[in-house]
Amino acid sequence: MKFSSSLLFAGFVYYADDVLSAPSPNPKTAWVRQSRPRKAASSVGKRWLNGTTAQPVVGSCSDTYYTQVLAPKSNVWGGLTDVEAASVTRWLFAQSEFNLTVSDEAGEWDNTILLVELMHPNKTDVLNYLDNAGPVPDRYAHVVLDHRACEEPYYEDILVGPIDPSGVKNGTTRWEPLEYPYTRKTAGRVRNLDADADDTLYSQWIYKISATISDITLDLWGGTALGLDNDTLSIWGIDPLWQDDGRVVRWDTFWSNTVDNFDAQTLLPLGLYFRSDVTGRDPCQWKLEGWYYNGVFYETTEAFRSAYYTPGFAKLGANVEGNWARTDQFGPVLPQDNAHPPASITPSGARFAVDAESKWIQWMDFSFYVGYQRDTGLSLWDIRYKGERVLYELGLQEALAHYAGQDPIQSGTSYLDSYYGFGPYAFELVKGYDCPAYATYLNTSFYVSETTHTHLNSLCLFEYTADYPLQRHSTSDYVAVTKNTYFTIRSVSTVGNYDYMFSYSFYMDGSINVEVRASGYIQSAYFANNEEYGYKIHDNLSGSMHDHVLNFKADFDIKGINNTVAVVNQVSVSTTYPWSNGKARNTMKLEKSYIETENQSRLFWGANSATQYSVINKDAVNKYGEYRGYRISPSLGAIHLTVEDSSNLVNAARWANHDIQVTKHHDTEPRAAHAYNNQDVHNPPINFDAFFNGENLTQTDLVLWLNLGMHHIPHTGDLPNTVFSTAHAGLSFSPLNYLDGDPSRQTVNQVRIDYGGGNVSAIKTFGQDEGSCAVEYTPVEVDLWDYKGDVVVRKFPFDPNDPYYETDAIV
Ligand SMILES: *[C@@H]1O[C@H](CO)[C@@H](O)[C@H](O)[C@H]1NC(C)=O
Ligand SMILES: *[C@@H]1O[C@H](CO)[C@@H](O)[C@H](O)[C@H]1NC(C)=O
Ligand SMILES: *[C@@H]1O[C@H](CO)[C@@H](O)[C@H](O)[C@H]1NC(C)=O
Ligand SMILES: *[C@@H]1O[C@H](CO)[C@@H](O)[C@H](O)[C@H]1NC(C)=O
Ligand SMILES: *[C@@H]1O[C@H](CO)[C@@H](O)[C@H](O)[C@H]1NC(C)=O
Ligand SMILES: *[C@@H]1O[C@H](CO)[C@@H](O)[C@H](O)[C@H]1NC(C)=O
Ligand SMILES: *[C@@H]1O[C@H](CO)[C@@H](O)[C@H](O)[C@H]1NC(C)=O
Ligand SMILES: *[C@@H]1O[C@H](CO)[C@@H](O)[C@H](O)[C@H]1NC(C)=O
Ligand SMILES: *[C@@H]1O[C@H](CO)[C@@H](O)[C@H](O)[C@H]1NC(C)=O
Ligand SMILES: *[C@@H]1O[C@H](CO)[C@@H](O)[C@H](O)[C@H]1NC(C)=O
Ligand SMILES: *[C@@H]1O[C@H](CO)[C@@H](O)[C@H](O)[C@H]1NC(C)=O
Ligand SMILES: [Cu+2]
């Protein structure tokens, strides 16, 4: 619905810089709500908040969304063009050895293309291009094939290329198995564990089992799960599947269906579980292996049934949807909540430059390229500060949600979300809610089923002025204070029940922050016997404990590629000094050391935050002889996985048990995890442990692998949804002796007020333009009817002129 009260503010005008130019003696009275004009026409009811003294010049505010620039180099991480992707797809179908079927027509036993996207070029080649005027690296497509036309289905990563802007090169384009980026050397192949997961075989299996106890589901919960239109229950279970002793085992449980559009099913577990051995593709070989209910395991359906019909059998209540599980407004309206909350504005328009085509962004002294991939979504490349690279690459690697519980479903759940992909689920952002209304939006695209889906407005870029200053100081003569304006690029991926918000922010002091927040629906547990694994959060519901651990790659290049990790420990000591009369003084000092090899590079944040880690360059000292560097610190919630040697994950997420891990950079180790690590947890395509082979880490090209996350023990406040305010984690990278002083002194957005005796004698604004512009309040809100969802373009056959709208979410 269009913002219904926009009339209220139409034509409301104020001076954006009234704070600086001439503060009102009593700003509170000037802003009394009732005095706001309620007329629609912009010429009527204007209210000039120009204070009491000099009348500023009124100019027009700028509504530039960004300044257009050309990226200095082409973006080698920016993704395939539509033409390239279509050409590769056509070429793949022409290779008879792949025996491909078009996705729309494919069944269980047909080979299909799962992915066609740009393969990131090797760092060596990119640096040669960026720094030494070398050639643009050859472009290759990373293709994933889903081989199902065989008894043992598998995924296959292959490389196709080189490719030209016009597409596949006639004669020279080749394919080869993609193996070098993976620790497991099996020609880019990994088994497809749940080739049948999405469709008929598993459903038929599960409904057949459910049918054998439909009398019990009707009696317990008044419903059935039989694959019929009148089902009021659903059945699903663990991820990843159990993969021990050569068997593939599922656990499934019953959930209430919701009765409306709200996505509340993960809040409606029912507490009955069953185990099936589903090894192999032949359902005749599958076996139901037992039932679990209220703390008792029954080996057969008959055993469960006879217990159920034994007098005295305890029947536990259902979880039923209600307003408690719905996110719409609920409860009494809060005092003054119908008045509009504060909103931020950009009187001069966006103060940053974007090459929208190349996805290169420049703000103040920072610049970077934007990359985007199916598995991990947004990444930032060639991040430069004051013209020099500080990070070659910064981006998400994997996100783990490891649950635990007394029941086999919670106990068996350890989502590795790059399996689903962060790219495909970064939906259009809601202007004015996900990002400030004035933000600049960019699109992202990914390949699925011979189409390219474009998420419109799925990245937002904006500046924001924090509610606290970056610097201040008061004396009896003056007060000096600096605005804290920062720049953020953000995306949100809704992977199933959860919404992850990723924000990368840049600050005037040269620091860079990485933040992740989580919202959406929790996956909850049935309450019975679960006290040791969660709080009881509703009548029949337990908030299921889980760890969110998200791994980020930070490939620092401080003053060149060769860097060292420095460790500075603050320690308590008892020591004597020449001046202490021979008496020991209890005090503290610094212990300085360096991480020498990969044998000592898997680290934890020190207790009491007493350990500082930084990436420094021993060959680049500042004018006082200190090494220049960037400090790496957790700003909030930098955690690692509580579970040691997880039974669910085995070798699939060995990155998760430390806080900060350092390796020597190799083109063969571009990512900490593979999207299909969950398909073979004992022998995953990428086993992060294999990165650590004792290599020397002194003055060499280093990569930091950093974990962020939350120990999430949902409480009543997680209903209906977890809130971003508490489910929040962050890392900070800040200059350490990198420059000779604080770079934020350069900003003109600071002020010094000289005063004395109750009078101001001077106001120094450092040349900041004191002119004003008239801001209409209405631009602060946006037309939400513009929201579109994904736009899809067909690639095979390539049909760029007939895009259609279709948004797919994980259910
Ligand atoms: C503010 O400026 C407007 C436009 O120039 C003027 O009409 C109005 O009188 C001024 N208000 C005050 C309080 O000076
Ligand atoms: C090709 O795939 C089809 C199924 O799409 C299968 O029936 C056929 O056997 C496969 N051919 C070869 C040579 O593998
Ligand atoms: C990238 O580096 C890997 C590992 O050294 C190598 O196998 C591969 O061929 C390189 N790719 C290109 C395009 O040169
Ligand atoms: C590739 O070369 C072959 C043989 O020269 C030719 O028939 C075909 O049309 C060419 N394809 C493209 C896309 O240029
Ligand atoms: C659901 O529909 C089926 C077939 O249409 C019917 O036999 C069954 O009784 C219905 N179940 C319930 C619970 O209404
Ligand atoms: C919980 O179960 C009880 C029966 O034990 C039932 O009466 C109640 O409605 C259930 N509560 C909810 C919210 O589903
Ligand atoms: C995003 O895609 C839409 C639809 O194709 C297009 O109109 C718009 O210009 C794109 N936005 C940017 C910033 O490229
Ligand atoms: C690292 O540890 C391995 C065994 O754990 C050892 O073989 C190797 O020599 C060590 N490397 C260094 C550089 O200390
Ligand atoms: C690592 O390399 C540096 C520089 O080459 C050398 O001084 C140091 O001894 C090496 N460290 C180890 C543990 O081998
Ligand atoms: C980085 O250090 C290695 C030795 O570890 C050296 O071979 C290489 O030349 C250095 N690279 C640069 C760009 O300084
Ligand atoms: C401050 O200003 C007031 C009124 O303008 C004046 O009376 C007073 O003398 C001034 N005080 C000083 C210390 O300048
Ligand atoms: Cu959570």
Side-chain angles (χ1 to χ4, degrees):
M1 197 175 58
K2 180 102 178 77
F3 193 62
S4 55
S5 49
S6 62
L7 283 187
L8 189 67
F9 299 111
F12 180 59
V13 174
Y14 78 103
Y15 292 109
D17 65 348
D18 68 322
V19 176
L20 270 192
S21 58
S24 154
N26 190 349
K28 280 197 180 123
T29 35
W31 283 98
V32 185
R33 275 189 49 72
Q34 290 84 339
S35 67
R36 285 188 176 173
R38 287 165 188 276
K39 303 252 167 55
S42 62
S43 58
V44 190
K46 276 185 179 169
R47 181 175 174 84
W48 305 98
L49 294 184
N50 40 348
T52 53
T53 53
Q55 187 177 309
V57 182
V58 180
S60 242
C61 290
S62 165
D63 61 357
T64 35
Y65 278 120
Y66 56 84
T67 304
Q68 280 186 23
V69 282
L70 281 181
K73 295 276 185 163
S74 63
N75 182 345
V76 297
W77 311 277
L80 295 175
T81 63
D82 273 357
V83 167
E84 289 171 328
S87 162
V88 170
T89 307
R90 195 172 55 239
W91 183 88
L92 288 166
F93 277 101
Q95 313 306 307
S96 56
E97 63 199 299
F98 298 138
N99 191 16
L100 293 168
T101 302
V102 173
S103 297
D104 280 351
E105 292 158 19
E108 313 276 292
W109 292 82
D110 296 314
N111 297 344
T112 57
I113 304 171
L114 286 182
L115 180 72
V116 176
E117 74 175 13
L118 180 69
M119 180 72 194
H120 286 158
N122 287 333
K123 182 174 180 180
T124 341
D125 298 333
V126 176
L127 292 187
N128 187 36
Y129 165 61
L130 293 181
D131 299 345
N132 304 331
V136 189
D138 280 342
R139 284 167 79 77
Y140 288 83
H142 172 206
V143 171
V144 180
L145 302 177
D146 189 4
H147 288 275
R148 291 166 175 246
C150 48
E151 280 302 327
E152 305 207 327
Y154 60 96
Y155 298 109
E156 184 181 25
D157 285 286
I158 66 170
L159 205 56
V160 176
I163 44 178
D164 268 351
S166 59
V168 166
K169 282 187 185 175
N170 210 353
T172 58
T173 296
R174 301 258 181 282
W175 77 272
E176 61 182 85
L178 184 57
E179 190 178 72
Y180 75 80
Y182 312 134
T183 59
R184 168 176 151 159
K185 303 302 177 190
T186 48
R189 295 178 181 200
V190 58
R191 68 180 178 194
N192 179 343
L193 247 203
D194 40 11
D196 310 303
D198 298 333
D199 24 48
T200 41
L201 291 186
Y202 274 155
S203 308
Q204 281 168 6
W205 173 251
I206 274 161
Y207 292 135
K208 204 173 71 191
I209 293 168
S210 169
T212 66
I213 57 144
S214 61
D215 52 331
I216 294 178
T217 66
L218 273 168
D219 181 48
L220 270 177
W221 314 307
T224 50
L226 302 169
L228 301 174
D229 289 345
N230 62 3
D231 280 358
T232 58
L233 310 173
S234 292
I235 303 174
W236 48 270
I238 59 170
D239 177 358
L241 303 181
W242 279 6
Q243 302 166 33
D244 296 331
D245 309 321
R247 309 306 297 175
V248 179
V249 172
R250 311 173 49 102
W251 270 102
D252 289 282
T253 189
F254 292 82
W255 305 81
S256 293
N257 288 347
T258 55
V259 294
D260 51 33
N261 255 338
F262 287 95
D263 201 16
Q265 185 167 84
T266 54
L267 298 181
L268 308 174
L270 293 168
L272 174 61
Y273 316 87
F274 59 94
R275 184 169 86 198
S276 331
D277 182 322
V278 293
T279 311
R281 299 193 77 178
D282 178 5
C284 301
Q285 307 298 316
W286 296 354
K287 283 194 299 292
L288 174 70
E289 295 189 328
W291 296 84
Y292 182 68
Y293 186 74
N294 195 13
V296 182
F297 181 72
Y298 304 93
E299 289 197 355
T300 60
T301 306
E302 295 66 42
F304 172 54
R305 170 177 292 288
S306 86
Y308 188 84
Y309 287 110
T310 303
F313 182 85
K315 298 178 184 176
L316 306 177
N319 283 296
V320 180
E321 194 190 6
N323 280 342
W324 64 276
R326 300 183 179 120
T327 52
D328 280 355
Q329 199 278 333
F330 181 60
V333 173
L334 297 166
Q336 304 201 37
D337 194 31
N338 277 323
H340 290 277
S344 187
I345 56 156
T346 52
S348 304
R351 304 191 309 162
F352 49 86
V354 178
D355 181 335
E357 175 85 19
S358 291
K359 295 212 165 94
W360 182 73
I361 293 161
Q362 185 184 34
W363 173 78
M364 299 289 156
D365 263 350
F366 285 101
S367 68
F368 57 87
Y369 292 87
V370 174
Y372 201 79
Q373 286 186 298
R374 179 231 171 253
D375 292 354
T376 51
L378 171 66
S379 52
L380 312 189
W381 297 83
D382 193 22
I383 301 176
R384 287 167 186 247
Y385 182 52
K386 294 190 182 293
E388 291 190 65
R389 182 176 305 123
V390 290
L391 284 147
Y392 175 76
E393 177 184 357
L394 175 60
L396 179 71
Q397 299 297 299
E398 182 58 284
L400 162 66
H402 198 304
Y403 291 73
Q406 65 83 31
D407 77 62
I409 297 297
Q410 302 304 323
S411 186
T413 301
S414 295
Y415 297 114
L416 289 166
D417 281 334
S418 79
Y419 171 73
Y420 300 101
F422 284 84
Y425 300 103
F427 299 109
E428 183 168 6
L429 295 161
V430 180
K431 296 174 184 171
Y433 288 83
D434 283 320
C435 316
Y438 57 75
T440 300
Y441 294 86
L442 299 177
N443 302 331
T444 58
S445 295
F446 60 96
Y447 181 95
V448 57
S449 303
E450 287 85 68
T451 61
T452 296
H453 280 242
T454 295
H455 290 297
L456 301 174
N457 306 322
S458 48
L459 293 179
C460 70
L461 318 173
F462 60 89
E463 273 189 293
Y464 201 77
T465 299
D467 60 353
Y468 64 96
L470 187 56
Q471 167 282 331
R472 81 174 317 291
H473 188 63
S474 282
T475 73
S476 54
D477 299 326
Y478 75 94
V479 55
V481 58
T482 308
K483 289 196 182 189
N484 183 8
T485 302
Y486 57 89
F487 175 83
T488 298
I489 179 168
R490 170 174 294 169
S491 76
V492 176
S493 290
T494 303
V495 186
N497 49 317
Y498 252 81
D499 298 62
Y500 292 99
M501 174 181 281
F502 300 99
S503 307
Y504 296 91
S505 299
F506 298 83
Y507 293 80
M508 302 295 298
D509 66 352
S511 58
I512 302 169
N513 276 17
V514 180
E515 277 169 297
V516 58
R517 291 183 167 83
S519 188
Y521 281 96
I522 58 166
Q523 173 171 314
S524 58
Y526 194 68
F527 81 102
N529 313 306
N530 209 48
E531 298 79 8
E532 291 180 359
Y533 302 90
Y535 297 113
K536 191 172 181 196
I537 58 173
H538 208 258
D539 294 358
N540 301 316
L541 198 62
S542 170
S544 185
M545 72 181 291
H546 55 280
D547 275 353
H548 295 275
V549 192
L550 295 96
N551 187 259
F552 287 83
K553 177 180 182 183
D555 180 352
F556 279 92
D557 285 352
I558 304 291
K559 295 265 168 190
I561 58 166
N562 285 341
N563 297 152
T564 301
V565 171
V567 185
V568 174
N569 253 313
Q570 236 171 281
V571 292
S572 174
V573 291
S574 190
T575 188
T576 54
Y577 299 93
W579 44 262
S580 64
N581 297 334
K583 284 179 74 176
R585 296 185 57 80
N586 296 338
T587 180
M588 60 185 171
K589 67 176 184 182
L590 303 178
E591 273 177 4
K592 300 180 182 176
S593 63
Y594 301 95
I595 303 296
E596 295 251 338
T597 73
E598 286 176 349
N599 285 8
Q600 43 177 234
S601 67
R602 308 185 78 171
L603 307 164
F604 299 102
W605 304 117
N608 194 29
S609 301
T611 306
Q612 293 199 4
Y613 295 106
S614 56
V615 178
I616 54 111
N617 188 332
K618 290 188 165 182
D619 298 321
V621 292
N622 67 12
K623 70 177 180 188
Y624 310 109
E626 295 287 354
Y627 300 134
R628 296 183 181 217
Y630 258 71
R631 183 183 162 198
I632 323 300
S633 43
S635 53
L636 189 65
I639 62 135
H640 58 267
L641 178 62
T642 309
V643 182
E644 289 169 22
D645 200 10
S646 163
S647 300
N648 295 334
L649 296 171
V650 194
N651 293 317
R654 294 289 182 193
W655 50 267
N657 282 101
H658 294 82
D659 295 330
I660 164 170
Q661 299 170 84
V662 189
T663 60
K664 181 175 160 70
H665 174 276
H666 290 289
D667 287 332
T668 50
E669 294 173 359
R671 231 192 99 188
H674 187 285
Y676 298 130
N677 269 11
N678 64 0
Q679 300 294 297
D680 196 345
V681 296
H682 292 275
N683 190 10
I686 297 178
N687 180 346
F688 187 69
D689 273 353
F691 288 19
F692 295 84
N693 47 2
E695 284 176 287
N696 192 319
L697 297 178
T698 302
Q699 285 302 97
T700 187
D701 192 2
L702 301 181
V703 178
L704 271 60
W705 310 88
L706 302 159
N707 285 331
L708 274 184
M710 310 123 211
H711 299 298
H712 193 179
I713 312 171
H715 72 120
T716 51
D718 285 272
L719 298 178
N721 277 185
T722 295
V723 287
F724 279 146
S725 51
T726 50
H728 179 197
L731 280 170
S732 168
F733 307 150
S734 50
L736 180 78
N737 298 317
Y738 186 71
L739 301 165
D740 292 336
D742 165 25
S744 77
R745 293 310 84 216
Q746 283 177 264
T747 182
V748 297
N749 288 295
Q750 56 176 309
V751 69
R752 191 183 79 229
I753 304 170
D754 292 344
Y755 65 97
N759 298 328
V760 170
S761 55
I763 296 179
K764 194 139 176 51
T765 56
F766 308 101
Q768 173 60 302
D769 180 9
E770 291 190 39
S772 301
C773 70
V775 177
E776 293 215 353
Y777 194 67
T778 36
V780 177
E781 43 91 2
V782 283
D783 187 358
L784 297 176
W785 288 97
D786 278 350
Y787 197 86
K788 287 194 176 64
D790 298 356
V791 60
V792 186
V793 173
R794 181 150 289 287
K795 288 287 174 308
F796 187 77
F798 188 31
D799 190 359
N801 299 317
D802 187 23
Y804 55 96
Y805 290 97
E806 185 181 80
T807 302
D808 291 322
I810 299 175
V811 276

